[in-house]
Amino acid sequence: MIDVRRIRTDYDTVRDALARRGGALKELEQVRELDAQLRELTAERDQIRSEVNAISKEVGTLRRDGRSEEAEAKQVESRALGEREKQLADAADEIGARTRDLLLHIPNLPSVDAPDGAHADDNVEIKRVGPGDEPAAWAEHQRVPHWDIGTELGILDLERAVKMSGAMFTMFRGAGATLSRALCQLALDHNSDAFEEVRPPTVVLTETMISTGHLPKFADDAYCFERDNLWAIPTAEVPLTSLARDEILDSADLPMRLMAQTACFRREAGSAGRDTRGLLRVHEFDKVEILAYAMPDQAAELHADLLRRAESLITALGLTYRVLDLCTGDLGNSSARTFDIEVYAPGVDQWLEVSSVSWFSDYQARRANIRYRVAGEKGTDMVHTLNGSALAVPRVWAAVVETHRQPDGSVKIPEVLLPYFRGATEIRATK
RNA sequence: GGAGGGGUGGCAGAGCGGACGAAUGCGACGGUCUUGAAAACCGUUGAGGGGCAACUCUCCGGGGGUUCGAAUCCCCCCCCCUCCGCCA
């Protein structure tokens, strides 16, 4: 949520910032109008409440002194005020609810540093490591799509996954499952120097989904257990961000860094028919997420650190990648600035988004009511939240298998993963 | 799932219709004392909204109700504890 007070006091700046990402100007204007009404109503309501409170005190005194007739008269007076108060309160509640609902639908303001642009084509590539998608850089044996490699080596069983769960569900087998697990473990081990490992619930309440900005706007993208009013998380960002919900953190504990490996569930409602083959787009996948709560002046450095950490994993796996600075038009709803990491998968000849490293400023914190206090100082402020995928399994799995495929059809296991492979150094067909 | 007990400030814990934003204790902070510290003593100490301010409103798990007035009474829900049942 953006701050209503900013809408009140700095409307033009807010409007211009929002305009840069092409969003919700109508809602913004409505919020401004409703907020003005709301303040009038609550001021009047509070005035009446104040009178009622004063009268009630008098009634108490009069009754104690046995002057019940005078008390009676005061009660009648107060009763009349009470009716007016109720009208005002109802009106205020109604407008307050509408304001909040609008506010929940307004995206975050982009950072001044985020490049302008309308869609993905306008994202700015700021870095490229490895040969990229130069055709000459890749050998023939690396030009095999991962689903074929998976079948050849018996490490990917999509057919049976579909039998169990339907299209866009996956199953790794044998060394393929080991690879999946090894990737997660590598990511966790790699960040254990600074991040607390968490194993959160993967099914959460509606309120938890609202905090991160995944509801109410994007309900169609998530799986819902209607009978129990629970949602399957699309990313560990959801529970990890709610971990501190409604809490006031001590500045000494900031930045607070958390990481978690979880399954992630996505309905991919808008993308039927796209990337249907293989592991490029699936309904359930494992991911290691890294996340931080910070004070505003710590945020920039943390954002850079999260990106560095995500990059170094990709580098360690020997993959080619590029980093994009997302333009205002392509920014996620809650984000102020996002860097995407895309790895190049030679077998399918595609750049695959494997990590989004985002800074949410205080947008999520305001939704989730997460504040901090500086010891000895008065008052509290909203924290900033940041997060990124350290490693998302299926796409990285695909890129690893395609990149490291050998001329004889086997897949060489990257050195950093060897500790997790029980002595094996390559993946070969078992029969 | 069944029966009973409970949810109050950073923590512990009183209050069960008016003087309660809430006793008391602990903790924390400031001061006195001390070479320094401890102890003792004195004082301060929740969050949020509106208002230039004076000031005012809201919050005692959540929501609704009764009342001139609710932490206190009534209804619904949630959570925690104990016992029983079931169970990876």
Side-chain angles (χ1 to χ4, degrees):
Chain A
M1 250 178 338
I2 56 179
D3 190 350
V4 228
R5 271 169 299 193
R6 274 197 78 186
I7 297 177
R8 218 136 66 196
T9 57
D10 199 11
Y11 184 78
D12 291 349
T13 311
V14 173
R15 185 201 52 216
D16 293 348
L18 221 42
R20 285 183 67 214
R21 49 143 66 220
L25 262 34
K26 231 176 37 222
E27 286 86 347
L28 183 71
E29 179 58 35
Q30 287 172 39
V31 167
R32 176 160 75 161
E33 287 164 12
L34 287 174
D35 177 58
Q37 291 178 36
L38 184 61
R39 270 185 310 154
E40 262 178 55
L41 280 169
T42 49
E44 199 182 336
R45 184 202 59 194
D46 287 354
Q47 170 61 31
I48 291 178
R49 267 190 196 164
S50 172
E51 287 172 40
V52 169
N53 288 343
I55 292 173
S56 296
K57 276 206 178 93
E58 284 182 61
V59 171
T61 314
L62 292 169
R63 287 224 175 275
R64 205 176 48 238
D65 298 346
R67 296 151 73 179
S68 45
E69 263 171 49
E70 288 165 74
E72 201 62 51
K74 286 286 178 193
Q75 283 173 221
V76 172
E77 188 185 338
S78 181
R79 225 176 317 218
L81 282 172
E83 265 160 50
R84 176 76 184 131
E85 195 258 28
K86 180 141 176 55
Q87 285 172 9
L88 288 165
D90 287 349
D93 288 350
E94 207 262 326
I95 289 180
R98 266 164 64 199
T99 308
R100 182 177 160 79
D101 188 61
L102 282 166
L103 234 27
L104 286 177
H105 282 84
I106 297 176
N108 197 4
L109 307 181
S111 154
V112 289
D113 297 323
D116 280 302
H119 25 241
D121 305 339
D122 301 320
N123 293 337
V124 178
E125 182 175 322
I126 55 173
K127 186 175 190 181
R128 186 179 285 215
V129 176
D133 52 5
E134 288 300 313
W138 302 92
E140 221 20 64
H141 64 265
Q142 292 174 297
R143 292 298 191 178
V144 178
H146 59 273
W147 51 82
D148 288 339
I149 301 173
T151 307
E152 273 170 28
L153 301 180
I155 57 176
L156 184 63
D157 192 347
L158 294 176
E159 277 171 47
R160 290 196 181 83
V162 170
K163 173 174 75 180
M164 289 182 264
S165 304
M168 307 224 305
F169 282 91
T170 61
M171 179 159 57
F172 298 113
R173 302 190 60 171
T178 305
L179 175 56
S180 167
R181 177 171 54 78
L183 287 169
C184 286
Q185 215 160 318
L186 171 71
L188 291 167
D189 290 347
H190 190 81
N191 291 300
S192 61
D193 59 311
F195 290 74
E196 180 195 350
E197 183 173 350
V198 177
R199 199 355 290 232
T202 37
V203 166
V204 300
L205 298 169
T206 300
E207 188 54 38
T208 306
M209 290 283 279
I210 288 177
S211 295
T212 38
H214 291 91
L215 289 178
K217 236 168 147 181
F218 305 101
D220 287 347
D221 296 331
Y223 286 100
C224 180
F225 301 82
E226 264 179 64
R227 188 165 67 164
D228 300 295
N229 191 23
L230 290 166
W231 300 79
I233 59 169
T235 159
E237 166 190 343
V238 172
L240 290 185
T241 301
S242 269
L243 190 129
R245 193 165 77 216
D246 292 323
E247 293 188 22
I248 299 173
L249 305 174
D250 187 336
S251 62
D253 297 331
L254 297 174
M256 184 170 150
R257 298 176 177 91
L258 306 170
M259 62 176 173
Q261 174 194 333
T262 66
C264 302
F265 300 90
R266 304 193 177 174
R267 288 188 68 232
E268 300 295 348
S271 47
R274 192 149 36 105
D275 303 326
T276 46
R277 202 89 201 265
L279 298 175
L280 270 27
R281 188 172 296 279
V282 297
H283 286 314
E284 176 187 350
F285 61 95
D286 285 329
K287 177 162 69 67
V288 173
E289 184 79 2
I290 49 182
L291 174 145
Y293 299 103
M295 293 189 275
D297 63 352
Q298 299 171 324
E301 168 50 28
L302 272 164
H303 197 191
D305 184 55
L306 294 182
L307 178 61
R308 225 177 289 127
R309 284 171 178 274
E311 273 182 70
S312 69
L313 278 168
I314 299 302
T315 306
L317 290 168
L319 303 177
T320 284
Y321 72 95
R322 62 185 185 186
V323 178
L324 305 178
D325 190 351
L326 293 201
C327 73
T328 50
D330 200 30
L331 234 33
N333 181 71
S334 304
S335 180
R337 185 132 194 243
T338 296
F339 298 109
D340 270 5
I341 298 177
E342 295 186 342
V343 302
Y344 179 69
V348 293
D349 185 26
Q350 279 184 51
W351 290 97
L352 307 178
E353 182 193 327
V354 294
S355 182
S356 263
V357 183
S358 298
W359 167 53
F360 301 96
S361 62
D362 60 4
Y363 185 87
Q364 293 180 327
R366 187 164 287 107
R367 282 173 168 248
N369 189 29
I370 307 169
R371 294 167 289 168
Y372 70 93
R373 181 188 354 245
V374 179
E377 284 181 25
K378 199 93 182 109
T380 57
D381 264 308
M382 293 292 164
V383 302
H384 281 200
T385 54
L386 306 107
N387 67 49
S389 346
L391 198 145
V393 169
R395 291 178 183 171
V396 172
W397 192 101
V400 165
V401 160
E402 292 177 7
T403 302
H404 296 302
R405 186 165 185 271
Q406 305 298 298
D408 67 356
S410 68
V411 169
K412 187 163 184 287
I413 299 166
E415 205 171 318
V416 283
L417 294 179
L418 291 178
Y420 310 110
F421 266 86
R422 306 178 192 107
T425 57
E426 57 183 24
I427 302 173
R428 305 199 150 273
T430 38
K431 17 184 137 119

